[in-house]
Amino acid sequence: MIRAENVTKIFGPAPQEALRLLRDGTSKDAIREATGHVVGVDDVSFSLKPGEFFCIMGLSGSGKSTLLRCLNRLIPMTGGRVVIDTEQGEVDVGEAGSKALRDLRTQHLSMVFQRFGLLPHRSVRDNVAYGLEIQGVPRKQRLERAERALEMVGLGGWGPSRTSELSGGMQQRVGLARALATEAQVMLMDEPFSALDPLIKMQMQEEMIKLQHDLGKTIVFITHDLDEALRLGDRIAIMEDGKVVQLGTPEKIIIEPKTAYVADFVEHADPTNVISAGTVSVELAHERVDVLRREGGNRVLAHRTQSEVEIVVDDDDHVREVRADGKRVELVPIDTLLAEEPPVARYRDRAAVVRAERTLRTLLEARNLVNLPVLVIDDQERLIGLVTEREIIFSIIEKRGRDALQEAAA
Amino acid sequence: MNALLTDALFDPIRIPLDQWFANFINWLTLNYRPTFQAMKVPIEVILANVDAFLQWLPPLAFIVIIGLIAYRVAGWRIAVFTMAAFTVIGMIGLWGLTMTTLSMVLASVLVCVILGVPLGILAARSDRFRGALRPVLDVMQTTPAFVYLVPVVMLFSIGTVAGVIATIIFALPPLIRLTDLGLRQVPADVIEAAEAFGSSEREILVKVRLPLALPTVMAGINQTIMLALSMVVIAALIGAGGLGRPVVEGLNALRIGLAGIGGVAIVLLAIVLDRLTQALGEERSSNGA
């Protein structure tokens, strides 16, 4: 959908010369001292699939906003290429003529800004319709589409208001609606929620996830908040000093930070939404899972720290039965437990079953509802591991998964 | 040599700038007077039409119309004040002269807007143009009004049109400056957003910059009107009509009463025009903020 190849941006009067120096291996500091040029984005490449939610995370000055602006050429890049897939074929953003660039911006790439960038002299509706107005969509039609976009962001009926009458969160919804109204497939979002109160921010993030789910946009989302990136991103690129220092799934970034810089961020991040049950669970083959005995064709297993709980699995690792203190207990999917209102605290009568891809957060929420090991299953319903309190706490403190746990235990 | 200009110390090295200046204006007058006379034509047409209309309009109709306009833009208090002010002007016998002054102000402000807003736009677009324009505007703004009058008379002869031209030169700078300022003050993030949605430069100017600069431009128009009003009175010295005439005549003949009522009418007109244009600017900006 979007392909960035070796994108580089250098600020200064003669960037091409500085680019040559940079490609020859001169350091950024040396270039700045010798020529006064500042390297904003240094050789960044990535490729996004349609419908992917891609977060670019970094501190201010790391080049993330510059990189985003290279994607729609609000800032022209010095070197490299950005290619966008459209229905009319691939468009090379850097090479596009003024007409092609205009088409790209009006129809294929929309953008949401940190400081909203709304037009204060226009009504909410006319702000949302701005992109369509530039496209030349007739007034009646564009106001209809604007109203639809406003409904999508929960501002149905606010069309005639002035933007100044709206709170920050609502103004950013208008910004979001403006981007949605053009029906561009790609949305570029430049720290859209950074200026909002924490509570509103959470709410907007949730709605963003839902919108993305419903509309399947390809999103490039800039943030300086790792927790936000972890919540939203399918993949995250972490930038430092103009370079992408790590690119991967949220879980990979939490569990295996590649540089000290990333590790530093990860240390302060909340891992519970990212690390999966599968990752924290103790595998059946691990030494802390004992095979107590065999019953017919089935194995009877127990977690070493909770040997009074016996789990009976067959040869295909399907769970047959769970016993606590010799008494058979019911197997309940974790969502059923969480949905009980009020929670039924019958600790030892039930054992929770959770799919491997569910997060640590789910396990934490279920902690008070069950005190037996949680059974982690894969998509074939086979038991792949067990989770007790020990694993959960270890993962939160160490922000690391099973492998590290095994090392620590060994 | 003029007695005003002697000083024993500097006499040996005195520069005859007054001569040069006189020579330059004489040369302009000799060679280009027809050109300058031709420049009067459009101003003459605008002025004649505005004046004819205001003189034709029955005072009562004018008072009602301006009252309604004032009510619309500035609320009922100022509407009442406006209507009262014009009634007083009529009652002290200065209706006709006031209408002439008003038409001179309107004509010169109209020309100022036609010249000033585009020049302001150019200044906002180009730092070089702005740099070149700046000293010119400084000179226009700081040169005492009386200094304009002599060359204006030589090039444009005397009368109301010449008075309007002097007024335009005097009242134009703040409009250019404030248009430039207003356009430059438009937040960069708003412009960037418009750009990101594919706006051309022209669209950004028309749909973003100008509407957002409007309150500042309106403040410029307000300033221009005030300056125009003060200059229009001075222009009576070169034979321009309107409220300057009773003032100048009162001054020359020591007719204090005549000068006094001329002053009263000017002040009333100034307050009305100021309140109306200020309200216009505030209305836009409060809608816009």
Side-chain angles (χ1 to χ4, degrees), chain B residues 40-106:
Chain B
K40 277 168 72 175
V41 176
I43 295 169
E44 209 160 5
V45 172
I46 295 173
L47 183 64
N49 281 302
V50 177
D51 194 35
F53 174 73
L54 289 180
Q55 300 292 352
W56 165 82
L57 203 64
L60 204 61
F62 178 87
I63 290 173
V64 170
I65 291 170
I66 195 125
L68 285 174
I69 293 174
Y71 177 71
R72 194 79 183 83
V73 301
W76 67 269
R77 281 165 187 278
I78 290 178
V80 168
F81 176 80
T82 300
M83 292 168 75
F86 278 101
T87 309
V88 169
I89 286 171
M91 286 163 70
I92 59 179
L94 291 176
W95 186 268
L97 293 178
T98 303
M99 286 303 114
T100 300
T101 294
L102 185 59
S103 54
M104 286 172 73
V105 169
L106 290 180

Side-chain angles (χ1 to χ4, degrees), chain A residues 69 102 120-121 130 133 164, chain B residues 192 198-199 203 207 212 288-289:
Chain A
R69 280 161 177 74
R102 209 174 136 90
H121 62 288
Y130 185 82
E133 185 179 327
S164 53
Chain B
E192 188 182 46
S199 318
E203 284 164 334
K207 292 175 193 283
L212 289 184

Side-chain angles (χ1 to χ4, degrees), chain A residues 204-218:
Chain A
M204 294 290 281
Q205 287 168 352
E206 232 128 76
E207 283 176 45
M208 205 54 229
I209 293 169
K210 198 172 153 294
L211 271 174
Q212 161 73 349
H213 179 82
D214 294 347
L215 301 174
K217 302 274 186 204
T218 308

Side-chain angles (χ1 to χ4, degrees), chain A residues 69 74 102 105-106 111 113 115 117-122 130 133-134 162 164 178 182, chain B residues 189-190 192-200 203-204 207-208 211-212 286-289:
Chain A
R69 280 161 177 74
L74 280 178
R102 209 174 136 90
R105 288 178 180 172
T106 51
M111 195 158 174
F113 297 86
R115 295 200 295 148
L118 301 178
L119 297 169
H121 62 288
R122 289 175 168 232
Y130 185 82
E133 185 179 327
I134 297 299
R162 291 261 156 197
S164 53
R178 174 173 63 183
T182 66
Chain B
D189 57 316
V190 180
E192 188 182 46
E195 221 177 311
F197 282 92
S199 318
S200 63
E203 284 164 334
I204 289 178
K207 292 175 193 283
V208 181
L212 289 184
S286 67
N287 279 351

Side-chain angles (χ1 to χ4, degrees), chain A residues 48 54 72 221 329 351 354 363:
Chain A
L48 306 188
F54 185 63
N72 66 353
F221 188 104
V329 301
V354 68
L363 293 175

